[in-house]
Amino acid sequence: MLFSSNTVELLSCTMTGSNDTSSVTGTSKSKCVCDPENEEPTGSQLLEDHEARVLVDEWRLHKFQSPIELSHDNAIDHDHFDPLVFHGHWDKIGEATFENTGKTAVIRFQRNEAPYLIGGPLHEDIYLFEQLHFHWSDDDNGGCEHIFEGKAYSMEAHAVHYNKKYKSFEEAADKHDGLAVVGFFLEATDNDDNPCFKKLTAAVQNIIKVNTKTTIASDCLTWIKEEAQCKGYYTYQGSLTTEPYLESVTWILFKTPIHVSRQQVAHFRELKSTPCEKVKITNNVRPIQSPPPNKKINILYARSHRKSDD
Ligand SMILES: [Zn+2]
């Protein structure tokens, strides 16, 4: 694995499952919820922006274990981030690989220059794309890690980025500003396949065996493009949801699920987790993590941008 266990100091967290699916919202898709705006900042606005940045500096130091349950009522509206911009994530340059690691399916790009992420809660830093992987379970109503408004979705995709000021993902992984993970919910429906997701569901059938890898077209992330260009996202300071659970992640979570078909999700459940091929990856979801007693997670809702050039 990438880390040695003695470098890791974990918070003691209570692990609790979340079965509350009572208040279901945000499930209807599939229009982007962007609200257009193009405001130039005024003088007082700039002062406010500075104060907001100081607060965000402070906010970045307080980390919690992930995943968590998100609720809009518990989030603070934030209007002072720069636009969050994805660069190169859906460009048709080079190739990509899709690998069954035995724990998940991972997409990596084979390019001279990695796609990168800037803006939003990331300050002035540039975060380079490392990989995108998926979480799922044997239940279309419970394959995501984060819970939004009491609702669990069928899958969750994590686009993992690391801060360019560190030499590598491994070096960045235990730094407080080391990682940025963008999360997308996927919801299985009885409708037709998501055409943008078809490249992956075709390729996933080539990596049934553990530790196998296949090549796919590099524009294999177009299925997140529409959602990734929306302004309404939630962000908080959390951790990796797999070992060693390092608290180094700025989470960015888009709330509107991307619709795929039930069959498209089912393909992922066929992946084998062991060389003997008797065991499938049927659940790779970490349960919801409760914050330590007397500590409240500061969740920001990026409602609009400080300025917009998109
Ligand atoms: Zn993940």
Side-chain angles (χ1 to χ4, degrees), residues 86 90 132 144 155-159 182-186 223-229 252-254 256-258:
F86 291 73
W90 19 87
L132 180 143
C144 63
M155 296 179 77
E156 190 168 321
H158 290 159
V182 189
F184 300 91
F185 295 120
L186 286 84
W223 49 279
I224 62 173
K225 184 175 179 181
E226 181 185 346
E227 190 61 15
Q229 292 175 339
I252 296 168
L253 294 151
F254 288 91
T256 307
I258 296 162

Side-chain angles (χ1 to χ4, degrees), residues 242-259:
T242 52
E243 290 182 347
Y245 307 112
L246 295 165
E247 292 174 342
S248 55
V249 179
T250 297
W251 280 96
I252 296 168
L253 294 151
F254 288 91
K255 64 181 180 183
T256 307
I258 296 162
H259 284 178

Side-chain angles (χ1 to χ4, degrees), residues 36-242:
E37 59 178 47
N38 243 323
E39 298 156 6
E40 286 300 319
T42 62
S44 61
Q45 179 80 48
L46 288 171
L47 184 60
E48 273 185 40
D49 291 342
H50 174 73
E51 290 169 353
R53 281 162 190 271
V54 170
L55 287 174
V56 170
D57 271 336
E58 165 74 9
W59 165 70
R60 287 182 101 185
L61 296 174
H62 297 280
K63 306 278 188 177
F64 292 88
Q65 283 289 297
S66 301
I68 61 169
E69 185 157 2
L70 297 162
S71 160
H72 189 77
D73 287 345
N74 291 332
I76 302 163
D77 288 337
H78 192 85
D79 299 316
H80 298 279
F81 288 141
D82 288 337
L84 179 71
V85 183
F86 291 73
H87 282 276
H89 291 70
W90 19 87
D91 288 353
K92 202 164 186 175
I93 300 172
E95 288 184 334
T97 60
F98 201 20
E99 180 179 8
N100 173 356
T101 66
K103 293 183 176 174
T104 185
V106 180
I107 296 169
R108 296 177 192 273
F109 290 120
Q110 312 296 314
R111 296 182 187 174
N112 292 331
E113 294 184 13
Y116 63 94
L117 189 64
I118 57 170
L122 305 177
H123 277 236
E124 312 300 323
D125 292 338
I126 296 170
Y127 284 74
L128 300 176
F129 181 91
E130 172 73 9
Q131 48 104 324
L132 180 143
H133 63 268
F134 295 91
H135 297 269
W136 65 87
S137 76
D138 55 2
D139 181 357
D140 280 347
N141 298 312
C144 63
E145 294 205 307
H146 290 84
I147 302 288
F148 181 63
E149 305 289 12
K151 165 85 175 172
Y153 292 105
S154 313
M155 296 179 77
E156 190 168 321
H158 290 159
V160 180
H161 301 72
Y162 69 93
N163 196 325
K164 189 181 179 183
K165 73 184 186 185
Y166 304 111
K167 288 196 183 83
S168 65
F169 169 80
E170 288 78 7
E171 185 180 316
D174 64 350
K175 309 299 189 297
H176 85 280
D177 59 352
L179 305 180
V181 181
V182 189
F184 300 91
F185 295 120
L186 286 84
E187 182 173 39
T189 73
D190 293 324
N191 298 332
D192 293 340
D193 289 348
N194 178 329
C196 295
F197 203 62
K198 274 187 175 176
K199 282 191 180 89
L200 293 185
T201 46
V204 81
Q205 295 170 74
N206 297 327
I207 56 170
I208 298 294
K209 290 184 178 179
V210 66
N211 298 325
T212 53
K213 189 188 288 188
T214 189
T215 300
I216 50 173
S218 61
D219 60 345
C220 57
L221 297 185
T222 53
W223 49 279
I224 62 173
K225 184 175 179 181
E226 181 185 346
E227 190 61 15
Q229 292 175 339
C230 290
K231 289 170 187 165
Y233 59 81
Y234 295 86
T235 180
Y236 76 98
Q237 298 297 311
S239 75
L240 296 174
T241 64
T242 52

